[in-house]
Amino acid sequence: MHTWSYIYLYLVGGLFYAIGSYLCIRAEMIDLKASQDRRMFYATTASLILFAVVHGYFQLVLPYGTGAP
Amino acid sequence: MGGIQLTNLDVVLIIAYVIAIYGFGLYFARHTKSTTDYFFSGRKFAWWIIAFSMIASIVGSYSFIKYSAAGFTYGLSSSMSYLNDWFFMPLWMFGWLPIMYYARIVSVPEYFERRFDRKTRLMALIFISLYLVGYIGINFYTLGVALNTLLGLDTFVAAALVSVGTAIYVFSGGQTAVIMTDLLQGVVLLAAGLAIFILGFDYLGGGSLLAGIENFWNGLPQSHRFMLADFNQPSKFHFVGVFWQDAIAGSIAVYFFNQGILMRFLALKSVHEGRKAIVASLVVLFPLAVLAVGNAGWLGAAMHNLGMIPEAYANPNPKDVFVVVTKILVQPGLFGLVMAALLAALMSSTDTLINATSAVVVNDILKPFAWPGRSDEEYLKLARWISVVAAGVGLSLVPLYMSFKSIYLAHATFVATITPPMAVCVIMGFVWKRMTANAAFWTLLGGGFAVGFSIFVPDVITPFAHGVSDEGGFKYMRALYGLVVSGVIGVVVTLITSPKKSDEEIKGLTLSSLKQAEQDFKGAVPVNKKVGRVVKLQVQVVPPQPDNGLSLHPDDLAVMSADVGDMIYVADGRWYLGGLRAAHAVVTSSDGEQGVVKIPSNIVHENNLLPEKGVRVEKLL
């Protein structure tokens, strides 16, 4: 059930993130033609993905091993 | 559990810290000359100052005790609340923050009036006022309890001492004092929390940090090693409940309608700085904060499992684990730093709430209803005194919380009741242009009633419970129920009623009309989105100009990718001031000397610029 917690977090949470991003892009508040907006949006999304990967390591891999982080 | 004996060094450290904070706050009082300064610091700060100060505001005095207890009982999953704020960030960063910033809205109730109508504003005002004042009291109360547990001080006396000090510097310096003191307090509370973690590794490793990390991990029970709790059990602490209550409803509450946090972001020099501040917080500062506030519980669990808790403290109660671990690890002298961190956590949360309460009273009660049409100086004077009254009212709640735990619980229940309908109303209101004033009003009222009803009849939450047992009365799953019911009310009432306001009246207040708001914020000239560099220039002070604009050399403008008519930001040449001495201005001519900016004397004086220090100039829009 710990694995399901991780999947639920990033699946349902990711859905909210994706819908919010889509609405902002459609309203041109994330203007992907403007470099400042584009960089900020991509940096935020990349940070979330990196965060999810590290979170996944701590949730899905590390607790089952014997060594320290 | 008895209190800890303070050494002279501890006492000196604590007193020195308190004096430093009060002095720091009072020093910045001189930068406050208007209500805009008092509530929003003149909208000029850099992202890193706001990020640090926001962390200090979010970490309350109760955090060390509460998260240590959760960490001891449940392990690393106690970190969930601090690490799950990501999912509404696109809407917040690119939607809500620009709306509030560009439309120059100062509170959520004001947004509700401009977007919907006055009765919706009043409803939101009642909700937010009760939330703010109640929370000031809770912060004073929890600090009193913490000091009572740690030092044996009387709860009310401890709360009173801190409230008086906090009220003094908020009275004097407003938001600038709050931001600058919170910056310092954020550093102190992170440093103290992380120091406990390192001392814990040292203790567990018998003097070796690496061995301590190994022993810490091996000492943690396997069930304590997960960053996320089990999906739906136990009913007191499970993943899916924390997700809906905290990651979804709680995150919307903190970022979209917590007046204190909102004001913090409106104090930034630009919307882009706000985006940088929030990403830095999510990636770096929140993970550090969760380590700082939760580690005592994790260390306690490992020590307990390894039999390394001295006999005198064996089998500690979770709520005492922070004190126990602190007693074991922290030597006399360093304990003063831990106490300073607790005080920092309290003052930095409470000063934010006091300033926010003052803003709500002035901007949402006095200006529109009770005392309209007065000068800014009169409102500023009132704002200062309202800060003192807010602190006093908060303090007066402490004896009530002490005598009647049910009042404390009632406030927590009230917050849980208003959060889902407020969250739905805010999000739906700015995302869906069609949403009507009646829908907003009935979402708040009906959603609040439905959530309140579920407290007495928890069975209505069962369809939303994801298999969570009803033993705890669905404390966490109530949020999902509230969001769904409020959402349904909002949609249905919108579809059967007509909007009262035209598209023109709500221009800039919804996502689809936000581009226009950015343009209106700048003025007549089109928004310039070219990315330029910051230039460091010397200052030539000139007499006040009719257009109140600045003049720069064309080459300097080219480096900044700026044109005549663009909005620029001029700050003291010393970057580490973070915008403390800074101004927004417009370029009105390009006939200056290269490397020099001509600034009218009134702009220099009003914004505390020091011409001899030079300025850093960048284009904003």
Side-chain angles (χ1 to χ4, degrees):
Chain A
M1 291 303 266
H2 285 97
T3 305
W4 182 228
S5 298
Y6 180 81
I7 293 169
Y8 193 98
L9 176 67
Y10 287 104
L11 200 66
V12 181
L15 192 63
F16 281 113
Y17 189 93
I19 292 170
S21 300
Y22 167 74
L23 290 172
C24 290
I25 290 170
R26 198 182 64 168
E28 293 183 43
M29 280 318 291
I30 300 175
D31 183 355
L32 294 176
K33 290 185 204 124
S35 65
Q36 195 176 57
D37 278 16
R38 187 173 62 238
R39 279 195 307 215
M40 180 52 73
F41 175 62
Y42 288 160
T44 307
T45 305
S47 300
L48 172 60
I49 293 168
L50 177 68
F51 196 87
V53 169
V54 175
H55 217 178
Y57 176 68
F58 274 87
Q59 178 73 6
L60 307 175
V61 179
L62 205 54
Y64 300 101
T66 52
Chain B
M1 173 115 334
I4 294 175
Q5 281 299 114
L6 291 176
T7 63
N8 288 339
L9 183 57
D10 291 324
V11 174
V12 168
L13 267 173
I14 294 167
I15 291 174
Y17 176 75
V18 170
I19 290 173
I21 285 295
Y22 292 163
F24 208 55
L26 292 174
Y27 174 79
F28 291 107
R30 63 208 178 109
H31 290 269
T32 300
K33 295 169 182 168
S34 66
T35 51
T36 305
D37 291 338
Y38 195 76
F39 296 134
F40 304 105
S41 288
R43 299 174 185 254
K44 61 194 178 190
F45 279 103
W47 67 268
W48 53 273
I49 287 195
I50 297 303
F52 261 100
S53 68
M54 183 187 70
I55 292 297
S57 298
I58 286 180
V59 175
S61 56
Y62 57 91
S63 301
F64 285 93
I65 310 284
K66 176 182 165 185
Y67 288 101
S68 294
F72 183 72
T73 310
Y74 303 111
L76 301 184
S77 57
S78 64
S79 63
M80 286 192 297
S81 314
Y82 275 70
L83 302 180
N84 60 15
D85 289 355
W86 284 92
F87 306 118
F88 279 88
M89 279 308 129
L91 275 180
W92 186 84
M93 291 165 67
F94 297 98
W96 186 243
L97 180 62
I99 283 178
M100 300 302 275
Y101 200 95
Y102 293 140
R104 301 178 201 274
I105 290 171
V106 297
S107 71
V108 173
E110 183 193 345
Y111 174 79
F112 277 3
E113 175 158 0
R114 286 172 61 176
R115 170 69 180 86
F116 300 116
D117 59 8
R118 183 155 280 201
K119 71 175 188 297
T120 312
R121 177 186 195 154
L122 283 171
M123 179 74 79
L125 176 63
I126 292 166
F127 281 4
I128 286 174
S129 303
L130 290 171
Y131 166 87
L132 284 172
V133 174
Y135 253 125
I136 295 172
I138 282 178
N139 269 278
F140 285 144
Y141 170 65
T142 52
L143 176 93
V145 170
L147 292 183
N148 177 266
T149 309
L150 285 165
L151 302 176
L153 285 179
D154 179 79
T155 303
F156 184 76
V157 170
L161 285 173
V162 180
S163 68
V164 169
T166 310
I168 288 172
Y169 75 74
V170 178
F171 173 91
S172 308
Q175 183 71 257
T176 305
V178 170
I179 288 172
M180 298 311 288
T181 52
D182 284 10
L183 171 69
L184 180 61
Q185 311 210 68
V187 173
V188 169
L189 70 87
L190 288 180
L194 296 174
I196 292 176
F197 211 8
I198 292 168
L199 289 170
F201 290 149
D202 188 65
Y203 177 80
L204 286 164
S208 161
L209 279 181
L210 285 178
I213 293 171
E214 190 81 34
N215 288 345
F216 165 71
W217 191 252
N218 292 331
L220 271 184
Q222 218 246 346
S223 61
H224 279 49
R225 295 181 184 181
F226 294 95
M227 298 288 285
L228 303 172
D230 199 292
F231 186 72
N232 57 8
Q233 58 182 333
S235 61
K236 282 184 178 171
F237 189 76
H238 50 271
F239 163 78
V240 71
V242 174
F243 175 81
W244 285 104
Q245 193 212 38
D246 197 273
I248 303 301
S251 294
I252 297 173
V254 168
Y255 298 105
F256 288 76
F257 60 85
N258 179 315
Q259 180 70 18
I261 298 300
L262 189 62
M263 287 165 66
R264 195 61 52 86
F265 280 93
L266 295 180
L268 280 157
K269 70 180 182 192
S270 68
V271 167
H272 188 63
E273 290 290 293
R275 294 168 181 160
K276 287 198 275 189
I278 200 68
V279 173
S281 300
L282 293 174
V283 176
V284 180
L285 294 176
F286 277 129
L288 284 179
V290 80
L291 291 179
V293 302
N295 74 74
W298 309 332
L299 289 169
M303 288 177 190
H304 182 67
N305 210 25
L306 295 170
M308 293 180 74
I309 292 184
E311 192 61 36
Y313 310 122
N315 299 315
N317 187 314
K319 73 179 176 53
D320 295 329
V321 79
F322 178 75
V323 179
V324 167
V325 170
T326 305
K327 279 181 174 178
I328 294 170
L329 298 178
V330 178
Q331 302 300 312
L334 252 181
F335 184 68
L337 181 65
V338 175
M339 291 311 303
L342 274 180
L343 286 172
L346 175 276
M347 288 194 284
S348 54
S349 299
T350 313
D351 58 16
T352 303
L353 290 165
I354 291 172
N355 192 237
T357 306
S358 177
V360 166
V361 172
V362 170
N363 293 315
D364 291 307
I365 298 175
L366 296 181
K367 280 186 180 176
F369 300 114
W371 215 43
R374 303 293 167 146
S375 70
D376 195 62
E377 282 106 33
E378 287 174 293
Y379 287 127
L380 176 61
K381 199 183 287 181
L382 271 171
R384 294 182 192 277
W385 284 108
I386 290 163
S387 297
V388 175
V389 172
V393 172
L395 182 64
S396 72
L397 292 175
V398 173
L400 284 175
Y401 288 139
M402 288 165 65
S403 306
F404 305 103
K405 288 285 187 298
S406 56
I407 294 176
Y408 181 92
L409 291 174
H411 184 264
T413 306
F414 172 74
V415 171
T417 304
I418 65 165
T419 298
M422 283 285 288
V424 166
C425 214
V426 166
I427 297 287
M428 215 182 255
F430 89 89
V431 166
W432 194 21
K433 195 174 73 176
R434 170 76 172 80
M435 189 182 195
T436 64
N438 281 329
F441 181 79
W442 285 106
T443 299
L444 290 178
L445 195 64
F449 177 79
V451 178
F453 178 73
S454 74
I455 293 168
F456 300 101
V457 187
D459 287 348
V460 295
I461 300 172
T462 305
F464 307 90
H466 286 62
V468 175
S469 147
D470 65 355
E471 275 173 41
F474 295 124
K475 180 181 160 197
Y476 291 106
M477 295 313 299
R478 179 163 291 113
L480 175 58
Y481 159 80
L483 290 169
V484 172
V485 172
S486 302
V488 169
I489 294 172
V491 171
V492 170
V493 181
T494 293
L495 294 177
I496 59 175
T497 54
S498 301
K500 288 178 184 169
K501 294 195 171 181
S502 64
D503 286 357
E504 184 62 23
E505 286 175 294
I506 60 169
K507 191 176 71 178
L509 302 175
T510 60
L511 202 55
S512 57
S513 59
L514 200 43
K515 265 199 106 51
Q516 187 57 42
E518 192 178 27
Q519 179 63 64
D520 292 347
F521 181 77
K522 182 179 178 186
V525 182
V527 171
N528 175 354
K529 288 229 167 190
K530 285 179 286 184
V531 178
R533 296 212 309 268
V534 177
V535 291
K536 193 165 181 184
L537 303 173
Q538 293 182 330
V539 175
Q540 182 185 345
V541 181
V542 297
Q545 306 291 304
D547 54 17
N548 211 25
L550 273 54
S551 177
L552 288 92
H553 189 271
D555 290 349
D556 294 327
L557 288 174
V559 174
M560 295 160 57
S561 295
D563 300 313
V564 171
D566 283 349
M567 182 179 284
I568 60 172
Y569 172 75
V570 184
D572 190 288
R574 294 162 293 178
W575 68 268
Y576 53 85
L577 291 185
L580 186 62
R581 299 175 184 276
H584 287 95
V586 175
V587 181
T588 50
S589 69
S590 57
D591 60 357
E593 185 186 337
Q594 186 167 15
V596 176
V597 54
K598 291 180 186 173
I599 309 179
S601 57
N602 56 316
I603 292 182
V604 169
H605 297 311
E606 284 164 12
N607 297 285
N608 304 300
L609 293 172
L610 300 174
E612 67 276 15
K613 299 293 182 188
V615 287
R616 297 162 62 83
V617 185
E618 66 183 288
K619 186 207 72 195
L620 294 179
L621 291 171

